[in-house]
Amino acid sequence: MNTVLHDPSPAQRTRDAYRRRQTVLSVLIAAASTAAVGTLLAVAVTGAPGWDRVRASFLDPEIARDALPRVLSGLWLNVRLLACCAIGALLLGLLIAILRTLRGPVLFPIRALAAGYTYTFRGLPLIIVLYLLTFGVPGLRLQGTPSVLVLGGLALILTYAGYLAEVFRAGIESVHPSQLAAARSLGLTRQQTMRHVVLPQAVRRVAPPLLNDVVALQKDVGLVSLAGPIDAVRAAQITSAQTFNYTPYIVAGVLFVLLAIPLIAVTDQVTLRAARRQSGG
């Protein structure tokens, strides 16, 4: 089968050339305005009276080079903790969301407990949950008490599961009831309907906010250092105490930003794809 290729008309070529010129012009204007704003900020900061003192206290390259190995070693703990806590919070949040969507008066106590869980851990500050678990639980002196690191991870999981549960519940309730009725009419049980019809759609719809919460969790894993484990933040604190300089904190902050960039990029991509899918593009 032969395909006939049509050359664009002169008017179409003119429009295409105009769009290309406008695109190039927009890029040039954006680059120029960004350079101008960046230059003004650099001049304002470096021209401040206390800039030399701030640079010596926060941006010492020699101290940064010496602190980098320690902070990197601590960051590996943050990465492992993030992976475990993200998986745990997602699974627990999904379970709580499913429990909150159960129907029937007999299951009201379960729904009430699930709702109470989300209200409690969405209202409690994370730092208080960390203190309660990492300092309070060991104080009971029970046999088989987990390590402080495990308790700190548990605090992160419990707190973030409360937020993720509401995200999952919003996705589950966004599925139209007609799809549930259609699935039941085909002979699927409630469990099969939830597994094969509701959850795939719900997770796909709420993927962007789920990933945003994971990005937030990536930052908050640094709070586990308050309980004593030597992660990137604690390593920076120790080095800062030894050098009487805050540069190690800047090193830790930069590493956390670099760690977050892939997660943020994936989140933005998923959000863009979801927006295109909803708009039919």
Side-chain angles (χ1 to χ4, degrees), residues 203-229:
V203 172
R204 185 168 60 250
R205 292 178 181 181
V206 299
L210 287 176
L211 290 173
N212 278 325
D213 284 336
V214 173
V215 172
L217 176 61
Q218 181 267 332
K219 297 182 297 181
D220 284 343
V221 292
L223 292 176
V224 76
S225 62
L226 296 173

PDB file of all heavy atoms in Angstrom, residues 203-229:
ATOM      1  N   VAL A 203      -4.655   3.219  42.442  1.00  0.00           N
ATOM      2  CA  VAL A 203      -3.214   3.488  42.553  1.00  0.00           C
ATOM      3  C   VAL A 203      -2.737   4.338  41.385  1.00  0.00           C
ATOM      4  O   VAL A 203      -1.923   5.261  41.554  1.00  0.00           O
ATOM      5  CB  VAL A 203      -2.442   2.163  42.630  1.00  0.00           C
ATOM      6  CG1 VAL A 203      -0.936   2.423  42.558  1.00  0.00           C
ATOM      7  CG2 VAL A 203      -2.777   1.424  43.919  1.00  0.00           C
ATOM      8  N   ARG A 204      -3.236   4.053  40.193  1.00  0.00           N
ATOM      9  CA  ARG A 204      -2.823   4.837  39.026  1.00  0.00           C
ATOM     10  C   ARG A 204      -3.259   6.293  39.157  1.00  0.00           C
ATOM     11  O   ARG A 204      -2.530   7.209  38.777  1.00  0.00           O
ATOM     12  CB  ARG A 204      -3.403   4.214  37.760  1.00  0.00           C
ATOM     13  CG  ARG A 204      -2.932   4.886  36.470  1.00  0.00           C
ATOM     14  CD  ARG A 204      -3.286   4.079  35.245  1.00  0.00           C
ATOM     15  NE  ARG A 204      -4.725   3.893  35.112  1.00  0.00           N
ATOM     16  CZ  ARG A 204      -5.349   2.739  35.276  1.00  0.00           C
ATOM     17  NH1 ARG A 204      -4.662   1.657  35.606  1.00  0.00           N
ATOM     18  NH2 ARG A 204      -6.665   2.642  35.129  1.00  0.00           N
ATOM     19  N   ARG A 205      -4.440   6.513  39.715  1.00  0.00           N
ATOM     20  CA  ARG A 205      -4.937   7.886  39.824  1.00  0.00           C
ATOM     21  C   ARG A 205      -4.210   8.689  40.889  1.00  0.00           C
ATOM     22  O   ARG A 205      -4.067   9.911  40.762  1.00  0.00           O
ATOM     23  CB  ARG A 205      -6.440   7.851  40.128  1.00  0.00           C
ATOM     24  CG  ARG A 205      -7.282   7.321  38.979  1.00  0.00           C
ATOM     25  CD  ARG A 205      -8.752   7.260  39.343  1.00  0.00           C
ATOM     26  NE  ARG A 205      -9.564   6.732  38.243  1.00  0.00           N
ATOM     27  CZ  ARG A 205     -10.870   6.589  38.291  1.00  0.00           C
ATOM     28  NH1 ARG A 205     -11.541   6.944  39.391  1.00  0.00           N
ATOM     29  NH2 ARG A 205     -11.528   6.100  37.258  1.00  0.00           N
ATOM     30  N   VAL A 206      -3.782   8.049  41.954  1.00  0.00           N
ATOM     31  CA  VAL A 206      -3.162   8.787  43.062  1.00  0.00           C
ATOM     32  C   VAL A 206      -1.648   8.606  43.079  1.00  0.00           C
ATOM     33  O   VAL A 206      -1.002   8.932  44.084  1.00  0.00           O
ATOM     34  CB  VAL A 206      -3.759   8.348  44.415  1.00  0.00           C
ATOM     35  CG1 VAL A 206      -5.243   8.629  44.457  1.00  0.00           C
ATOM     36  CG2 VAL A 206      -3.493   6.869  44.683  1.00  0.00           C
ATOM     37  N   ALA A 207      -1.072   8.106  41.994  1.00  0.00           N
ATOM     38  CA  ALA A 207       0.384   7.914  41.965  1.00  0.00           C
ATOM     39  C   ALA A 207       1.156   9.213  42.219  1.00  0.00           C
ATOM     40  O   ALA A 207       2.131   9.214  42.979  1.00  0.00           O
ATOM     41  CB  ALA A 207       0.806   7.281  40.641  1.00  0.00           C
ATOM     42  N   PRO A 208       0.771  10.363  41.614  1.00  0.00           N
ATOM     43  CA  PRO A 208       1.529  11.599  41.881  1.00  0.00           C
ATOM     44  C   PRO A 208       1.557  11.998  43.357  1.00  0.00           C
ATOM     45  O   PRO A 208       2.639  12.254  43.902  1.00  0.00           O
ATOM     46  CB  PRO A 208       0.826  12.644  41.002  1.00  0.00           C
ATOM     47  CG  PRO A 208       0.228  11.850  39.885  1.00  0.00           C
ATOM     48  CD  PRO A 208      -0.201  10.569  40.515  1.00  0.00           C
ATOM     49  N   PRO A 209       0.411  12.076  44.067  1.00  0.00           N
ATOM     50  CA  PRO A 209       0.504  12.435  45.496  1.00  0.00           C
ATOM     51  C   PRO A 209       1.224  11.386  46.331  1.00  0.00           C
ATOM     52  O   PRO A 209       1.880  11.723  47.321  1.00  0.00           O
ATOM     53  CB  PRO A 209      -0.957  12.583  45.932  1.00  0.00           C
ATOM     54  CG  PRO A 209      -1.763  11.888  44.896  1.00  0.00           C
ATOM     55  CD  PRO A 209      -1.000  12.023  43.630  1.00  0.00           C
ATOM     56  N   LEU A 210       1.148  10.114  45.948  1.00  0.00           N
ATOM     57  CA  LEU A 210       1.901   9.089  46.667  1.00  0.00           C
ATOM     58  C   LEU A 210       3.396   9.342  46.551  1.00  0.00           C
ATOM     59  O   LEU A 210       4.138   9.264  47.539  1.00  0.00           O
ATOM     60  CB  LEU A 210       1.559   7.704  46.125  1.00  0.00           C
ATOM     61  CG  LEU A 210       0.180   7.128  46.470  1.00  0.00           C
ATOM     62  CD1 LEU A 210      -0.015   5.789  45.769  1.00  0.00           C
ATOM     63  CD2 LEU A 210       0.025   6.963  47.971  1.00  0.00           C
ATOM     64  N   LEU A 211       3.844   9.646  45.345  1.00  0.00           N
ATOM     65  CA  LEU A 211       5.268   9.907  45.142  1.00  0.00           C
ATOM     66  C   LEU A 211       5.698  11.191  45.845  1.00  0.00           C
ATOM     67  O   LEU A 211       6.833  11.291  46.328  1.00  0.00           O
ATOM     68  CB  LEU A 211       5.565   9.989  43.644  1.00  0.00           C
ATOM     69  CG  LEU A 211       5.476   8.663  42.888  1.00  0.00           C
ATOM     70  CD1 LEU A 211       5.611   8.889  41.390  1.00  0.00           C
ATOM     71  CD2 LEU A 211       6.554   7.696  43.367  1.00  0.00           C
ATOM     72  N   ASN A 212       4.812  12.178  45.908  1.00  0.00           N
ATOM     73  CA  ASN A 212       5.142  13.409  46.646  1.00  0.00           C
ATOM     74  C   ASN A 212       5.365  13.106  48.124  1.00  0.00           C
ATOM     75  O   ASN A 212       6.265  13.675  48.758  1.00  0.00           O
ATOM     76  CB  ASN A 212       4.016  14.435  46.483  1.00  0.00           C
ATOM     77  CG  ASN A 212       4.125  15.201  45.188  1.00  0.00           C
ATOM     78  OD1 ASN A 212       5.211  15.496  44.720  1.00  0.00           O
ATOM     79  ND2 ASN A 212       2.996  15.519  44.589  1.00  0.00           N
ATOM     80  N   ASP A 213       4.557  12.217  48.689  1.00  0.00           N
ATOM     81  CA  ASP A 213       4.749  11.845  50.088  1.00  0.00           C
ATOM     82  C   ASP A 213       6.053  11.081  50.282  1.00  0.00           C
ATOM     83  O   ASP A 213       6.711  11.208  51.318  1.00  0.00           O
ATOM     84  CB  ASP A 213       3.564  11.009  50.575  1.00  0.00           C
ATOM     85  CG  ASP A 213       2.336  11.850  50.842  1.00  0.00           C
ATOM     86  OD1 ASP A 213       2.502  13.050  51.095  1.00  0.00           O
ATOM     87  OD2 ASP A 213       1.213  11.316  50.789  1.00  0.00           O
ATOM     88  N   VAL A 214       6.441  10.280  49.293  1.00  0.00           N
ATOM     89  CA  VAL A 214       7.726   9.574  49.384  1.00  0.00           C
ATOM     90  C   VAL A 214       8.886  10.571  49.348  1.00  0.00           C
ATOM     91  O   VAL A 214       9.887  10.406  50.050  1.00  0.00           O
ATOM     92  CB  VAL A 214       7.853   8.543  48.247  1.00  0.00           C
ATOM     93  CG1 VAL A 214       9.243   7.923  48.218  1.00  0.00           C
ATOM     94  CG2 VAL A 214       6.811   7.448  48.407  1.00  0.00           C
ATOM     95  N   VAL A 215       8.753  11.612  48.535  1.00  0.00           N
ATOM     96  CA  VAL A 215       9.781  12.657  48.509  1.00  0.00           C
ATOM     97  C   VAL A 215       9.878  13.341  49.868  1.00  0.00           C
ATOM     98  O   VAL A 215      10.973  13.623  50.378  1.00  0.00           O
ATOM     99  CB  VAL A 215       9.474  13.684  47.401  1.00  0.00           C
ATOM    100  CG1 VAL A 215      10.422  14.873  47.489  1.00  0.00           C
ATOM    101  CG2 VAL A 215       9.592  13.031  46.026  1.00  0.00           C
ATOM    102  N   ALA A 216       8.726  13.614  50.484  1.00  0.00           N
ATOM    103  CA  ALA A 216       8.736  14.215  51.823  1.00  0.00           C
ATOM    104  C   ALA A 216       9.366  13.269  52.839  1.00  0.00           C
ATOM    105  O   ALA A 216      10.115  13.696  53.726  1.00  0.00           O
ATOM    106  CB  ALA A 216       7.317  14.578  52.242  1.00  0.00           C
ATOM    107  N   LEU A 217       9.090  11.974  52.703  1.00  0.00           N
ATOM    108  CA  LEU A 217       9.697  10.990  53.592  1.00  0.00           C
ATOM    109  C   LEU A 217      11.206  10.962  53.434  1.00  0.00           C
ATOM    110  O   LEU A 217      11.943  10.785  54.407  1.00  0.00           O
ATOM    111  CB  LEU A 217       9.105   9.608  53.307  1.00  0.00           C
ATOM    112  CG  LEU A 217       9.692   8.421  54.079  1.00  0.00           C
ATOM    113  CD1 LEU A 217       9.494   8.595  55.580  1.00  0.00           C
ATOM    114  CD2 LEU A 217       9.062   7.114  53.609  1.00  0.00           C
ATOM    115  N   GLN A 218      11.676  11.156  52.200  1.00  0.00           N
ATOM    116  CA  GLN A 218      13.120  11.166  51.954  1.00  0.00           C
ATOM    117  C   GLN A 218      13.818  12.246  52.778  1.00  0.00           C
ATOM    118  O   GLN A 218      14.949  12.059  53.238  1.00  0.00           O
ATOM    119  CB  GLN A 218      13.372  11.376  50.457  1.00  0.00           C
ATOM    120  CG  GLN A 218      14.827  11.394  50.049  1.00  0.00           C
ATOM    121  CD  GLN A 218      15.398  12.804  50.020  1.00  0.00           C
ATOM    122  OE1 GLN A 218      14.667  13.775  49.789  1.00  0.00           O
ATOM    123  NE2 GLN A 218      16.675  12.934  50.272  1.00  0.00           N
ATOM    124  N   LYS A 219      13.164  13.362  52.991  1.00  0.00           N
ATOM    125  CA  LYS A 219      13.754  14.415  53.819  1.00  0.00           C
ATOM    126  C   LYS A 219      13.667  14.083  55.298  1.00  0.00           C
ATOM    127  O   LYS A 219      14.613  14.312  56.056  1.00  0.00           O
ATOM    128  CB  LYS A 219      13.059  15.752  53.547  1.00  0.00           C
ATOM    129  CG  LYS A 219      13.202  16.266  52.135  1.00  0.00           C
ATOM    130  CD  LYS A 219      12.525  17.605  51.975  1.00  0.00           C
ATOM    131  CE  LYS A 219      11.023  17.515  52.219  1.00  0.00           C
ATOM    132  NZ  LYS A 219      10.334  18.808  52.050  1.00  0.00           N
ATOM    133  N   ASP A 220      12.521  13.529  55.706  1.00  0.00           N
ATOM    134  CA  ASP A 220      12.290  13.315  57.127  1.00  0.00           C
ATOM    135  C   ASP A 220      13.070  12.146  57.709  1.00  0.00           C
ATOM    136  O   ASP A 220      13.139  12.009  58.935  1.00  0.00           O
ATOM    137  CB  ASP A 220      10.791  13.116  57.391  1.00  0.00           C
ATOM    138  CG  ASP A 220      10.026  14.426  57.325  1.00  0.00           C
ATOM    139  OD1 ASP A 220      10.673  15.487  57.394  1.00  0.00           O
ATOM    140  OD2 ASP A 220       8.795  14.388  57.202  1.00  0.00           O
ATOM    141  N   VAL A 221      13.639  11.285  56.861  1.00  0.00           N
ATOM    142  CA  VAL A 221      14.453  10.201  57.425  1.00  0.00           C
ATOM    143  C   VAL A 221      15.667  10.765  58.156  1.00  0.00           C
ATOM    144  O   VAL A 221      16.236  10.096  59.019  1.00  0.00           O
ATOM    145  CB  VAL A 221      14.911   9.211  56.330  1.00  0.00           C
ATOM    146  CG1 VAL A 221      13.744   8.432  55.769  1.00  0.00           C
ATOM    147  CG2 VAL A 221      15.681   9.914  55.225  1.00  0.00           C
ATOM    148  N   GLY A 222      16.042  12.002  57.838  1.00  0.00           N
ATOM    149  CA  GLY A 222      17.153  12.625  58.554  1.00  0.00           C
ATOM    150  C   GLY A 222      16.834  12.913  60.005  1.00  0.00           C
ATOM    151  O   GLY A 222      17.748  13.077  60.820  1.00  0.00           O
ATOM    152  N   LEU A 223      15.537  12.952  60.362  1.00  0.00           N
ATOM    153  CA  LEU A 223      15.168  13.216  61.754  1.00  0.00           C
ATOM    154  C   LEU A 223      15.506  12.052  62.682  1.00  0.00           C
ATOM    155  O   LEU A 223      15.518  12.220  63.899  1.00  0.00           O
ATOM    156  CB  LEU A 223      13.672  13.520  61.848  1.00  0.00           C
ATOM    157  CG  LEU A 223      13.207  14.828  61.221  1.00  0.00           C
ATOM    158  CD1 LEU A 223      11.697  14.951  61.308  1.00  0.00           C
ATOM    159  CD2 LEU A 223      13.871  16.014  61.900  1.00  0.00           C
ATOM    160  N   VAL A 224      15.781  10.877  62.103  1.00  0.00           N
ATOM    161  CA  VAL A 224      16.128   9.737  62.948  1.00  0.00           C
ATOM    162  C   VAL A 224      17.437   9.992  63.691  1.00  0.00           C
ATOM    163  O   VAL A 224      17.723   9.349  64.706  1.00  0.00           O
ATOM    164  CB  VAL A 224      16.218   8.458  62.089  1.00  0.00           C
ATOM    165  CG1 VAL A 224      17.513   8.425  61.283  1.00  0.00           C
ATOM    166  CG2 VAL A 224      16.096   7.207  62.937  1.00  0.00           C
ATOM    167  N   SER A 225      18.217  10.955  63.223  1.00  0.00           N
ATOM    168  CA  SER A 225      19.469  11.293  63.903  1.00  0.00           C
ATOM    169  C   SER A 225      19.221  11.841  65.302  1.00  0.00           C
ATOM    170  O   SER A 225      20.109  11.798  66.153  1.00  0.00           O
ATOM    171  CB  SER A 225      20.249  12.333  63.082  1.00  0.00           C
ATOM    172  OG  SER A 225      19.512  13.540  62.968  1.00  0.00           O
ATOM    173  N   LEU A 226      18.001  12.347  65.563  1.00  0.00           N
ATOM    174  CA  LEU A 226      17.689  12.855  66.896  1.00  0.00           C
ATOM    175  C   LEU A 226      17.749  11.753  67.945  1.00  0.00           C
ATOM    176  O   LEU A 226      17.953  12.033  69.132  1.00  0.00           O
ATOM    177  CB  LEU A 226      16.292  13.486  66.894  1.00  0.00           C
ATOM    178  CG  LEU A 226      16.106  14.723  66.012  1.00  0.00           C
ATOM    179  CD1 LEU A 226      14.646  15.132  65.975  1.00  0.00           C
ATOM    180  CD2 LEU A 226      16.972  15.867  66.520  1.00  0.00           C
ATOM    181  N   ALA A 227      17.562  10.500  67.507  1.00  0.00           N
ATOM    182  CA  ALA A 227      17.594   9.379  68.442  1.00  0.00           C
ATOM    183  C   ALA A 227      18.989   8.790  68.616  1.00  0.00           C
ATOM    184  O   ALA A 227      19.163   7.900  69.451  1.00  0.00           O
ATOM    185  CB  ALA A 227      16.642   8.282  67.973  1.00  0.00           C
ATOM    186  N   GLY A 228      19.950   9.251  67.830  1.00  0.00           N
ATOM    187  CA  GLY A 228      21.320   8.795  68.014  1.00  0.00           C
ATOM    188  C   GLY A 228      21.994   8.100  66.865  1.00  0.00           C
ATOM    189  O   GLY A 228      23.222   8.136  66.773  1.00  0.00           O
ATOM    190  N   PRO A 229      21.277   7.401  65.951  1.00  0.00           N
ATOM    191  CA  PRO A 229      21.960   6.727  64.840  1.00  0.00           C
ATOM    192  C   PRO A 229      22.777   7.713  64.005  1.00  0.00           C
ATOM    193  O   PRO A 229      22.353   8.851  63.778  1.00  0.00           O
ATOM    194  CB  PRO A 229      20.814   6.125  64.027  1.00  0.00           C
ATOM    195  CG  PRO A 229      19.703   5.950  64.999  1.00  0.00           C
ATOM    196  CD  PRO A 229      19.822   7.114  65.937  1.00  0.00           C
TER     197      PRO A 229
END
